[in-house]
Amino acid sequence: MPQTAQPIAHSTRLFPKSSGAREYVLSGIAARCDLVVLSDNVRPTVDIRRLRKDGPPRTVFVSLRAPLPAFEAFFTHVLPQLETPFVLITGSEDVTVPNQTDRRWPKFSDELRAALHKLSEHPKLLHWFAENLDEAFSEKVSPLPLGFVFPDSKPTAISAKIKPPTWARPNSVLCAHRIREGAQWQARRDVQALASGAWRAFTHVADKEMPLKAFHEACRTHKFVLCVEGGGLDPCPKVFDALLNGAIPIVRASAASRALAELPVAFVESWSEDAVTPDLLDDWSAEFTPKFDAP
């Protein structure tokens, strides 16, 4: 893949938004792909960039800021030219695939969903890594976490000294998230109510939205962080920010969250009252703390 001078950090989100597709600065995973389909909600809505010049594209990144124009450009202009095996990566927005369940965008049509299912069976497709995967519909499709977010497209230093060590912290849970109007954010309202009620003995609830630096500092004082979906199915970047600061994320299991299975993350089946208990915190602490503190 093309080499860049930027520090390597797992990131799928591209910026600046809403300035047209040609204004995007390639960073993170997209900058390391051979061909990138960029999309935006402001004209020009699509920009296709070929990064590898010495052979056919082996890795293709499709940005879903404007999902319909992006997929139209991919199916019309890119896929017919892919005559050798390739890996596909889709993401850079909270839009979900293959069904599009996020309430802020229209659901995908039956025609588009059928095309995406057919794409997963394409003979040249080696694998498809999809951010915000909403259905496990093919063995050739895997979820991909969005990772960190760098709005200026320049990864900042992500090293952090974890103090105090994870094992030395109390089994307390941090509840700090943004809640907006609309049904999209109901899960966070429900969890905040539990954190202030049934879970109050072991949970600290932030009284207002925290700047990133303050959130990082708060993560270092708790062993667990509630990472509740809201903007998309993917609970990142909060998961990655929590891990970076030595806290164990608590995440609802979904098709998208399977991407986090090998990380020290605690999964719950639903955001119900019995999803988080002192006994479960003890079990999770015993299972995951060594992954932070052992050499």
Side-chain angles (χ1 to χ4, degrees):
M1 292 187 182
Q3 299 297 312
T4 75
Q6 295 177 341
I8 296 175
H10 184 101
S11 178
T12 64
R13 297 297 169 103
L14 299 172
F15 297 93
K17 297 170 63 174
S18 303
S19 297
R22 291 175 187 162
E23 297 302 315
Y24 280 95
V25 177
L26 295 185
S27 62
I29 291 175
R32 292 165 174 83
C33 290
D34 297 334
L35 188 148
V36 180
V37 178
L38 296 161
S39 67
D40 196 49
N41 54 9
V42 173
R43 292 183 180 275
T45 56
V46 172
D47 185 33
I48 300 175
R49 300 185 197 175
R50 181 78 174 262
L51 279 69
R52 187 185 184 204
K53 309 295 186 181
D54 60 349
R58 297 168 298 185
T59 50
V60 178
F61 187 99
V62 179
S63 168
L64 300 183
R65 292 285 191 205
L68 300 185
F71 277 127
E72 181 181 4
F74 173 77
F75 282 116
T76 302
H77 302 293
V78 177
L79 188 59
Q81 301 177 33
L82 298 177
E83 299 178 349
T84 58
F86 69 97
V87 171
L88 175 65
I89 301 160
T90 58
S92 197
E93 189 49 274
D94 291 340
V95 169
T96 76
V97 292
N99 302 301
Q100 207 321 84
T101 61
D102 193 291
R103 295 173 183 267
R104 292 166 293 172
W105 285 271
K107 286 189 175 182
F108 289 163
S109 65
D110 291 342
E111 181 181 11
L112 178 54
R113 289 200 301 272
L116 296 178
H117 279 263
K118 185 176 180 180
L119 173 61
S120 71
E121 303 170 357
H122 194 284
K124 298 299 182 183
L125 177 68
L126 295 175
H127 208 81
W128 176 1
F129 294 94
E131 182 185 328
N132 281 304
L133 182 69
D134 61 36
E135 177 188 349
F137 67 100
S138 170
E139 292 183 357
K140 291 173 71 173
V141 182
S142 297
L144 180 75
L146 72 90
F148 294 100
V149 171
F150 306 105
D152 59 359
S153 300
K154 297 177 181 178
T156 52
I158 61 170
S159 60
K161 294 181 179 179
I162 299 174
K163 294 181 179 181
T166 306
W167 58 265
R169 303 176 190 182
N171 270 10
S172 59
V173 181
L174 174 63
C175 178
H177 46 222
R178 176 191 297 133
I179 299 178
R180 295 173 176 169
E181 294 296 325
Q184 178 85 16
W185 312 93
Q186 189 58 46
R188 292 186 180 178
R189 294 191 194 92
D190 294 342
V191 169
Q192 185 136 331
L194 287 168
S196 302
W199 300 345
R200 64 184 179 277
F202 51 82
T203 302
H204 170 74
V205 180
D207 57 2
K208 59 182 179 180
E209 186 176 336
M210 290 183 172
L212 184 59
K213 183 178 180 181
F215 175 68
H216 283 186
E217 292 172 351
C219 285
R220 295 171 198 155
T221 66
H222 298 277
K223 191 175 289 186
F224 299 92
V225 175
L226 291 163
C227 297
V228 186
E229 69 279 6
L233 297 174
D234 190 337
C236 290
K238 181 173 282 188
V239 167
F240 275 43
D241 287 325
L243 292 171
L244 180 67
N245 290 282
I248 300 166
I250 301 175
V251 174
R252 185 181 67 83
S254 68
S257 71
R258 289 190 297 114
L260 307 171
E262 295 185 20
L263 297 173
V265 174
F267 292 99
V268 299
E269 289 303 314
S270 64
W271 295 117
S272 57
E273 182 175 334
D274 59 356
V276 182
T277 66
D279 287 343
L280 283 171
L281 294 177
D282 286 340
D283 292 344
W284 291 332
S285 178
E287 180 179 358
F288 298 123
T289 297
K291 296 188 178 183
F292 289 95
D293 300 310

